[in-house]
PDB file of all heavy atoms in Angstrom:
ATOM      1  N   ASN C  24       8.484 -13.931  10.566  1.00 97.00           N
ATOM      2  CA  ASN C  24       7.470 -14.941  10.866  1.00 97.00           C
ATOM      3  C   ASN C  24       7.495 -16.166   9.963  1.00 97.00           C
ATOM      4  O   ASN C  24       6.656 -17.067  10.147  1.00 97.00           O
ATOM      5  CB  ASN C  24       6.082 -14.294  10.796  1.00 97.00           C
ATOM      6  CG  ASN C  24       5.867 -13.244  11.855  1.00 97.00           C
ATOM      7  OD1 ASN C  24       5.560 -13.561  12.996  1.00 97.00           O
ATOM      8  ND2 ASN C  24       6.055 -11.977  11.480  1.00 97.00           N
ATOM      9  N   THR C  25       8.398 -16.211   8.993  1.00 97.00           N
ATOM     10  CA  THR C  25       8.524 -17.392   8.132  1.00 97.00           C
ATOM     11  C   THR C  25      10.008 -17.706   7.945  1.00 97.00           C
ATOM     12  O   THR C  25      10.880 -16.923   8.348  1.00 97.00           O
ATOM     13  CB  THR C  25       7.895 -17.157   6.740  1.00 97.00           C
ATOM     14  OG1 THR C  25       8.772 -16.329   5.941  1.00 97.00           O
ATOM     15  CG2 THR C  25       6.530 -16.491   6.843  1.00 97.00           C
ATOM     16  N   ASP C  26      10.273 -18.838   7.309  1.00 97.00           N
ATOM     17  CA  ASP C  26      11.654 -19.164   6.943  1.00 97.00           C
ATOM     18  C   ASP C  26      11.863 -19.023   5.437  1.00 97.00           C
ATOM     19  O   ASP C  26      12.784 -19.583   4.873  1.00 97.00           O
ATOM     20  CB  ASP C  26      12.008 -20.586   7.401  1.00 97.00           C
ATOM     21  CG  ASP C  26      11.163 -21.649   6.703  1.00 97.00           C
ATOM     22  OD1 ASP C  26      10.219 -21.284   5.957  1.00 97.00           O
ATOM     23  OD2 ASP C  26      11.431 -22.855   6.897  1.00 97.00           O
ATOM     24  N   TRP C  27      10.986 -18.248   4.776  1.00 97.00           N
ATOM     25  CA  TRP C  27      11.044 -18.099   3.337  1.00 97.00           C
ATOM     26  C   TRP C  27      12.238 -17.253   2.898  1.00 97.00           C
ATOM     27  O   TRP C  27      12.706 -16.372   3.623  1.00 97.00           O
ATOM     28  CB  TRP C  27       9.774 -17.427   2.803  1.00 97.00           C
ATOM     29  CG  TRP C  27       8.528 -18.202   3.055  1.00 97.00           C
ATOM     30  CD1 TRP C  27       8.418 -19.491   3.524  1.00 97.00           C
ATOM     31  CD2 TRP C  27       7.187 -17.730   2.879  1.00 97.00           C
ATOM     32  NE1 TRP C  27       7.103 -19.849   3.634  1.00 97.00           N
ATOM     33  CE2 TRP C  27       6.319 -18.791   3.247  1.00 97.00           C
ATOM     34  CE3 TRP C  27       6.644 -16.534   2.445  1.00 97.00           C
ATOM     35  CZ2 TRP C  27       4.933 -18.671   3.181  1.00 97.00           C
ATOM     36  CZ3 TRP C  27       5.257 -16.417   2.383  1.00 97.00           C
ATOM     37  CH2 TRP C  27       4.421 -17.474   2.745  1.00 97.00           C
ATOM     38  N   ARG C  28      12.665 -17.514   1.689  1.00 98.00           N
ATOM     39  CA  ARG C  28      13.633 -16.644   1.015  1.00 98.00           C
ATOM     40  C   ARG C  28      12.831 -15.599   0.238  1.00 98.00           C
ATOM     41  O   ARG C  28      11.913 -15.951  -0.510  1.00 98.00           O
ATOM     42  CB  ARG C  28      14.521 -17.455   0.070  1.00 98.00           C
ATOM     43  CG  ARG C  28      15.546 -16.621  -0.674  1.00 98.00           C
ATOM     44  CD  ARG C  28      16.491 -17.490  -1.488  1.00 98.00           C
ATOM     45  NE  ARG C  28      15.815 -18.214  -2.561  1.00 98.00           N
ATOM     46  CZ  ARG C  28      16.454 -18.740  -3.609  1.00 98.00           C
ATOM     47  NH1 ARG C  28      17.777 -18.655  -3.695  1.00 98.00           N
ATOM     48  NH2 ARG C  28      15.783 -19.392  -4.534  1.00 98.00           N
ATOM     49  N   VAL C  29      13.158 -14.332   0.429  1.00 98.00           N
ATOM     50  CA  VAL C  29      12.396 -13.242  -0.189  1.00 98.00           C
ATOM     51  C   VAL C  29      13.278 -12.490  -1.175  1.00 98.00           C
ATOM     52  O   VAL C  29      14.355 -12.001  -0.819  1.00 98.00           O
ATOM     53  CB  VAL C  29      11.853 -12.266   0.884  1.00 98.00           C
ATOM     54  CG1 VAL C  29      11.179 -11.074   0.225  1.00 98.00           C
ATOM     55  CG2 VAL C  29      10.880 -12.993   1.803  1.00 98.00           C
ATOM     56  N   ILE C  30      12.801 -12.393  -2.407  1.00 98.00           N
ATOM     57  CA  ILE C  30      13.476 -11.610  -3.444  1.00 98.00           C
ATOM     58  C   ILE C  30      12.671 -10.330  -3.636  1.00 98.00           C
ATOM     59  O   ILE C  30      11.529 -10.363  -4.093  1.00 98.00           O
ATOM     60  CB  ILE C  30      13.550 -12.378  -4.785  1.00 98.00           C
ATOM     61  CG1 ILE C  30      13.995 -13.826  -4.569  1.00 98.00           C
ATOM     62  CG2 ILE C  30      14.465 -11.637  -5.759  1.00 98.00           C
ATOM     63  CD1 ILE C  30      15.322 -13.994  -3.885  1.00 98.00           C
ATOM     64  N   ASN C  31      13.260  -9.210  -3.267  1.00 98.00           N
ATOM     65  CA  ASN C  31      12.616  -7.904  -3.359  1.00 98.00           C
ATOM     66  C   ASN C  31      12.924  -7.299  -4.724  1.00 98.00           C
ATOM     67  O   ASN C  31      14.058  -6.923  -5.016  1.00 98.00           O
ATOM     68  CB  ASN C  31      13.133  -7.002  -2.235  1.00 98.00           C
ATOM     69  CG  ASN C  31      12.575  -5.589  -2.302  1.00 98.00           C
ATOM     70  OD1 ASN C  31      11.696  -5.287  -3.104  1.00 98.00           O
ATOM     71  ND2 ASN C  31      13.102  -4.722  -1.458  1.00 98.00           N
ATOM     72  N   ILE C  32      11.893  -7.207  -5.574  1.00 98.00           N
ATOM     73  CA  ILE C  32      12.042  -6.636  -6.918  1.00 98.00           C
ATOM     74  C   ILE C  32      11.517  -5.208  -6.865  1.00 98.00           C
ATOM     75  O   ILE C  32      10.311  -4.978  -6.749  1.00 98.00           O
ATOM     76  CB  ILE C  32      11.272  -7.464  -7.960  1.00 98.00           C
ATOM     77  CG1 ILE C  32      11.756  -8.908  -7.962  1.00 98.00           C
ATOM     78  CG2 ILE C  32      11.426  -6.841  -9.351  1.00 98.00           C
ATOM     79  CD1 ILE C  32      10.932  -9.832  -8.841  1.00 98.00           C
ATOM     80  N   ASP C  33      12.405  -4.250  -6.924  1.00 98.00           N
ATOM     81  CA  ASP C  33      12.021  -2.854  -6.743  1.00 98.00           C
ATOM     82  C   ASP C  33      12.847  -1.961  -7.656  1.00 98.00           C
ATOM     83  O   ASP C  33      14.069  -2.100  -7.730  1.00 98.00           O
ATOM     84  CB  ASP C  33      12.202  -2.436  -5.283  1.00 98.00           C
ATOM     85  CG  ASP C  33      11.380  -1.206  -4.921  1.00 98.00           C
ATOM     86  OD1 ASP C  33      11.621  -0.137  -5.544  1.00 98.00           O
ATOM     87  OD2 ASP C  33      10.522  -1.300  -4.040  1.00 98.00           O
ATOM     88  N   LYS C  34      12.175  -1.050  -8.322  1.00 97.00           N
ATOM     89  CA  LYS C  34      12.851  -0.096  -9.204  1.00 97.00           C
ATOM     90  C   LYS C  34      13.602   0.968  -8.407  1.00 97.00           C
ATOM     91  O   LYS C  34      14.482   1.647  -8.931  1.00 97.00           O
ATOM     92  CB  LYS C  34      11.805   0.566 -10.110  1.00 97.00           C
ATOM     93  CG  LYS C  34      12.359   1.456 -11.203  1.00 97.00           C
ATOM     94  CD  LYS C  34      11.205   2.033 -12.033  1.00 97.00           C
ATOM     95  CE  LYS C  34      11.710   2.999 -13.102  1.00 97.00           C
ATOM     96  NZ  LYS C  34      10.578   3.564 -13.891  1.00 97.00           N
ATOM     97  N   LEU C  35      13.260   1.115  -7.138  1.00 97.00           N
ATOM     98  CA  LEU C  35      13.836   2.122  -6.247  1.00 97.00           C
ATOM     99  C   LEU C  35      13.567   3.536  -6.755  1.00 97.00           C
ATOM    100  O   LEU C  35      14.477   4.327  -7.001  1.00 97.00           O
ATOM    101  CB  LEU C  35      15.335   1.888  -6.027  1.00 97.00           C
ATOM    102  CG  LEU C  35      15.706   0.545  -5.374  1.00 97.00           C
ATOM    103  CD1 LEU C  35      17.214   0.462  -5.149  1.00 97.00           C
ATOM    104  CD2 LEU C  35      14.952   0.341  -4.058  1.00 97.00           C
ATOM    105  N   THR C  36      12.282   3.848  -6.884  1.00 94.00           N
ATOM    106  CA  THR C  36      11.866   5.202  -7.245  1.00 94.00           C
ATOM    107  C   THR C  36      11.919   6.104  -6.015  1.00 94.00           C
ATOM    108  O   THR C  36      12.367   5.682  -4.939  1.00 94.00           O
ATOM    109  CB  THR C  36      10.428   5.197  -7.798  1.00 94.00           C
ATOM    110  OG1 THR C  36       9.523   4.854  -6.725  1.00 94.00           O
ATOM    111  CG2 THR C  36      10.278   4.200  -8.932  1.00 94.00           C
ATOM    112  N   TYR C  37      11.416   7.318  -6.152  1.00 92.00           N
ATOM    113  CA  TYR C  37      11.426   8.281  -5.044  1.00 92.00           C
ATOM    114  C   TYR C  37      10.702   7.727  -3.813  1.00 92.00           C
ATOM    115  O   TYR C  37      11.007   8.114  -2.674  1.00 92.00           O
ATOM    116  CB  TYR C  37      10.746   9.589  -5.487  1.00 92.00           C
ATOM    117  CG  TYR C  37       9.232   9.526  -5.468  1.00 92.00           C
ATOM    118  CD1 TYR C  37       8.503   9.948  -4.360  1.00 92.00           C
ATOM    119  CD2 TYR C  37       8.516   8.994  -6.547  1.00 92.00           C
ATOM    120  CE1 TYR C  37       7.117   9.870  -4.325  1.00 92.00           C
ATOM    121  CE2 TYR C  37       7.136   8.895  -6.520  1.00 92.00           C
ATOM    122  CZ  TYR C  37       6.450   9.344  -5.407  1.00 92.00           C
ATOM    123  OH  TYR C  37       5.082   9.247  -5.381  1.00 92.00           O
ATOM    124  N   ALA C  38       9.712   6.842  -4.016  1.00 92.00           N
ATOM    125  CA  ALA C  38       8.904   6.350  -2.898  1.00 92.00           C
ATOM    126  C   ALA C  38       9.550   5.197  -2.153  1.00 92.00           C
ATOM    127  O   ALA C  38       9.043   4.784  -1.103  1.00 92.00           O
ATOM    128  CB  ALA C  38       7.528   5.919  -3.410  1.00 92.00           C
ATOM    129  N   ALA C  39      10.648   4.659  -2.662  1.00 95.00           N
ATOM    130  CA  ALA C  39      11.325   3.546  -1.995  1.00 95.00           C
ATOM    131  C   ALA C  39      12.224   4.065  -0.882  1.00 95.00           C
ATOM    132  O   ALA C  39      12.760   5.163  -0.956  1.00 95.00           O
ATOM    133  CB  ALA C  39      12.147   2.756  -3.009  1.00 95.00           C
ATOM    134  N   ASN C  40      12.381   3.240   0.153  1.00 96.00           N
ATOM    135  CA  ASN C  40      13.252   3.606   1.267  1.00 96.00           C
ATOM    136  C   ASN C  40      13.840   2.327   1.850  1.00 96.00           C
ATOM    137  O   ASN C  40      13.179   1.618   2.613  1.00 96.00           O
ATOM    138  CB  ASN C  40      12.465   4.373   2.336  1.00 96.00           C
ATOM    139  CG  ASN C  40      13.350   4.889   3.447  1.00 96.00           C
ATOM    140  OD1 ASN C  40      14.519   4.523   3.556  1.00 96.00           O
ATOM    141  ND2 ASN C  40      12.795   5.737   4.299  1.00 96.00           N
ATOM    142  N   LEU C  41      15.079   2.032   1.509  1.00 96.00           N
ATOM    143  CA  LEU C  41      15.707   0.801   1.984  1.00 96.00           C
ATOM    144  C   LEU C  41      15.903   0.804   3.495  1.00 96.00           C
ATOM    145  O   LEU C  41      15.960  -0.265   4.115  1.00 96.00           O
ATOM    146  CB  LEU C  41      17.041   0.594   1.273  1.00 96.00           C
ATOM    147  CG  LEU C  41      16.951   0.258  -0.225  1.00 96.00           C
ATOM    148  CD1 LEU C  41      18.335   0.205  -0.851  1.00 96.00           C
ATOM    149  CD2 LEU C  41      16.223  -1.068  -0.435  1.00 96.00           C
ATOM    150  N   SER C  42      15.970   1.987   4.100  1.00 95.00           N
ATOM    151  CA  SER C  42      16.101   2.047   5.557  1.00 95.00           C
ATOM    152  C   SER C  42      14.914   1.395   6.255  1.00 95.00           C
ATOM    153  O   SER C  42      15.044   0.902   7.383  1.00 95.00           O
ATOM    154  CB  SER C  42      16.239   3.498   6.020  1.00 95.00           C
ATOM    155  OG  SER C  42      17.417   4.088   5.519  1.00 95.00           O
ATOM    156  N   SER C  43      13.757   1.395   5.606  1.00 96.00           N
ATOM    157  CA  SER C  43      12.559   0.819   6.215  1.00 96.00           C
ATOM    158  C   SER C  43      12.662  -0.690   6.393  1.00 96.00           C
ATOM    159  O   SER C  43      11.886  -1.288   7.140  1.00 96.00           O
ATOM    160  CB  SER C  43      11.322   1.144   5.371  1.00 96.00           C
ATOM    161  OG  SER C  43      11.413   0.539   4.091  1.00 96.00           O
TER     162      SER C  43
END
Side-chain angles (χ1 to χ4, degrees):
N24 295 279
T25 76
D26 64 354
W27 298 350
R28 180 174 65 161
V29 175
I30 314 302
N31 177 7
I32 302 173
D33 201 299
K34 187 179 177 181
L35 299 183
T36 68
Y37 79 94
N40 185 349
L41 291 175
S42 297
S43 64

